[in-house]
Amino acid sequence: MAWNEPGGNGKNHDPWSGGGDRNPGGGKRNGGGNNDQGPPDLDEALQKLQDRLNGLFGGKKGGSGSGSGGGAGGKGGSFTLVGIAAVLALVVWAGMGFYTVDQQERGVVLRLGKFHSVVNPGLQWNPPLIDEVNKVNVTRVRIHDHRALMLTEDENIVDVDISVQYVAENPELFMLRVRSPEESLAQAAESALRQVVGGSDMNSILTEGRQVMAISVQERLQRHMDTYETGIRISGVNVRNAQAPSQVQDAFDDVIKAREDEQRSKNEAEAYANSVVPEARGVAQRMLEEASAYREEVVARANGETQRFLALLTEYRQSPDVMRERLYIDTMQSVMTNNPKVLMDMENGGNNVMFLPLDKLMDQQRGSGSSARGSSSSADLNLRQLNDQITEQARSRQAGSLREGR
């Protein structure tokens, strides 16, 4: 029976009375003037929290009867669990958005599949399930090797093996512009290499032209990468090997060996020339200097003789007899100084100076050896005859001088 029906005990059934019944809010009211101030009821606190959550999610507060009140309480508990689960899910979702980017990396952020931004190294946060972050290493040097048979300008076939070093300089272009940057790089490398090899002869490719070829391939390949917008920067191209096909490798080895022998012979000839030519130039310079010195000496001697002759001529003009005698004495002195002499005392009180090369005769006698010993007597005879002749000449000269004196 409802509390407000006729005949009912309204006092006992009035839910707003202090008879101990629970009010629609779930709390107890102290009736009969009992003012008990005990601790708050746990059910009351939970009911308040439920009412707030129901207000947030559009629920109703409390019920109109005992049956409806119990149903509202069960429904409020389910809303409480849903709210707590939602809060936990929100916390987990927010925590999933934190990530770190290394110093060598850059993060490419895609929001709902569309490019949004590029994030720098450090701790970052993006909405999970909404943003997708792709990390790209922008400092690591990647290597691509390529080898192929190619036709040269002089219609020869050469086997070239190169190594391409590159880095992902622009992470946005590297991730989004091309589907496969490595494949694009491989095709562009082959194209650039064929262009360079096709414009070079085989001799330069196999010998000294490798460095020039590597630089040309790097420049062409970088232009291709910029045109394709791959975000790749070519850091270097190395020609690891360049050789003729294996079928004709032996013949090319012989040719290369012959060229090396030719170059070695040229180097040896240049070294010999460098050692001989300076020596010959030194000898020629010495001869020129000696000739110059001899010329100066002869000219100086001739000038001295001329001056001496002029001086003697002046003196001769002043006293011819004295100068004639002096010149004779000087001449005889210069002649007899360098020749062997024999002094002979002449008979009849006269003396004269005669010279005879007896030492040369004695040397000839010693050099004749044993044959000279057998003919010693004949040599002595000849020597005596020669002395007699000299004596006769001296006597005749003395007699002539006496006659002139008379």
Side-chain angles (χ1 to χ4, degrees):
M1 179 182 297
W3 63 275
N4 56 358
E5 290 183 0
N9 190 0
K11 185 178 180 180
N12 295 329
H13 296 282
D14 185 3
W16 305 107
S17 63
D21 295 336
R22 297 183 181 272
N23 59 15
K28 290 184 179 181
R29 299 183 63 90
N30 295 326
N34 186 9
N35 295 326
D36 187 7
Q37 299 297 327
D41 193 355
L42 181 59
D43 294 336
E44 182 179 358
L46 292 176
Q47 187 64 37
K48 289 181 180 180
L49 178 59
Q50 180 180 350
D51 292 341
R52 292 179 181 178
L53 292 177
N54 288 337
L56 292 175
F57 292 101
K60 296 181 179 180
K61 296 182 180 180
S64 58
S66 61
S68 61
K75 192 172 183 180
S78 62
F79 278 125
T80 302
L81 296 177
V82 172
I84 295 173
V87 172
L88 293 177
L90 180 62
V91 172
V92 172
W93 175 80
M96 292 173 58
F98 289 98
Y99 62 95
T100 58
V101 180
D102 293 339
Q103 188 65 32
Q104 299 178 350
E105 298 177 339
R106 298 294 184 272
V108 180
V109 180
L110 302 178
R111 179 160 293 175
L112 298 178
K114 186 179 180 180
F115 173 75
H116 179 263
S117 63
V118 176
V119 296
N120 294 321
L123 181 63
Q124 305 291 340
W125 184 87
N126 284 92
L129 305 178
I130 298 177
D131 289 355
E132 179 184 356
V133 181
N134 298 292
K135 300 178 182 179
V136 180
N137 193 320
V138 296
T139 60
R140 181 171 64 90
V141 178
R142 298 173 172 85
I143 298 177
H144 170 72
D145 297 329
H146 186 79
R147 182 175 182 178
L149 292 173
M150 299 183 181
L151 188 65
T152 62
E153 185 180 14
D154 52 357
E155 298 181 355
N156 288 317
I157 298 177
V158 62
D159 186 6
V160 182
D161 184 9
I162 65 173
S163 175
V164 181
Q165 301 176 358
Y166 65 97
V167 294
E169 188 176 38
N170 192 324
E172 177 188 355
L173 299 179
F174 187 79
M175 286 293 301
L176 303 177
R177 290 294 182 178
V178 293
R179 179 175 300 176
S180 178
E182 290 81 5
E183 184 178 354
S184 300
L185 175 66
Q187 296 176 0
E190 183 171 359
S191 175
L193 183 60
R194 289 188 181 278
Q195 288 179 353
V196 175
V197 173
S200 306
D201 57 3
M202 188 171 187
N203 184 26
S204 62
I205 295 174
L206 296 180
T207 55
E208 70 276 0
R210 294 188 180 183
Q211 186 64 28
V212 178
M213 181 178 66
I215 295 174
S216 300
V217 171
Q218 180 177 352
E219 294 176 352
R220 290 179 178 272
L221 183 56
Q222 185 62 60
R223 289 198 296 267
H224 293 336
M225 294 294 98
D226 295 340
T227 302
Y228 298 159
E229 295 183 351
T230 59
I232 292 176
R233 179 176 59 84
I234 307 300
S235 59
V237 175
N238 297 324
V239 180
R240 298 191 300 182
N241 189 17
Q243 61 182 8
S246 59
Q247 294 82 357
V248 293
Q249 183 62 41
D250 295 337
F252 275 95
D253 291 341
D254 294 339
V255 173
I256 293 174
K257 184 178 180 181
R259 289 175 179 172
E260 292 177 352
D261 294 340
E262 178 186 4
Q263 188 64 33
R264 185 178 63 254
S265 300
K266 290 181 179 179
N267 295 336
E268 292 177 354
E270 291 179 357
Y272 177 74
N274 293 332
S275 63
V276 171
V277 171
E279 183 178 358
R281 289 177 179 174
V283 173
Q285 186 65 28
R286 186 178 69 250
M287 294 177 65
L288 290 175
E289 292 177 356
E290 291 177 354
S292 178
Y294 176 74
R295 181 188 62 185
E296 293 177 357
E297 181 183 359
V298 171
V299 171
R301 185 183 299 112
N303 291 331
E305 293 291 337
T306 302
Q307 296 296 329
R308 189 174 65 86
F309 179 78
L310 293 176
L312 292 176
L313 179 61
T314 302
E315 297 293 333
Y316 179 79
R317 288 175 179 176
Q318 293 179 359
S319 54
D321 296 335
V322 174
M323 288 303 300
R324 187 182 298 110
E325 185 70 17
R326 180 180 175 184
L327 291 175
Y328 175 77
I329 294 172
D330 292 341
T331 303
M332 294 302 296
Q333 180 179 358
S334 63
V335 170
M336 293 185 177
T337 300
N338 298 324
N339 292 293
K341 298 172 291 297
V342 176
L343 298 178
M344 300 180 63
D345 187 9
M346 302 301 295
E347 296 178 356
N348 300 325
N351 55 11
N352 200 355
V353 178
M354 302 297 294
F355 65 93
L356 183 66
L358 298 177
D359 55 342
K360 293 183 178 179
L361 295 176
M362 296 300 294
D363 292 336
Q364 292 177 358
Q365 185 177 4
R366 294 190 190 96
S368 61
S370 59
S371 60
R373 294 189 186 95
S375 59
S376 58
S377 58
S378 60
D380 294 337
L381 179 61
N382 293 331
L383 182 59
R384 285 193 297 271
Q385 292 177 356
L386 181 60
N387 290 330
D388 294 339
Q389 293 177 0
I390 293 173
T391 304
E392 291 294 335
Q393 291 177 0
R395 288 178 181 177
S396 63
R397 288 178 181 177
Q398 186 177 7
S401 59
L402 291 175
R403 284 193 299 268
E404 290 177 357
R406 293 194 186 109

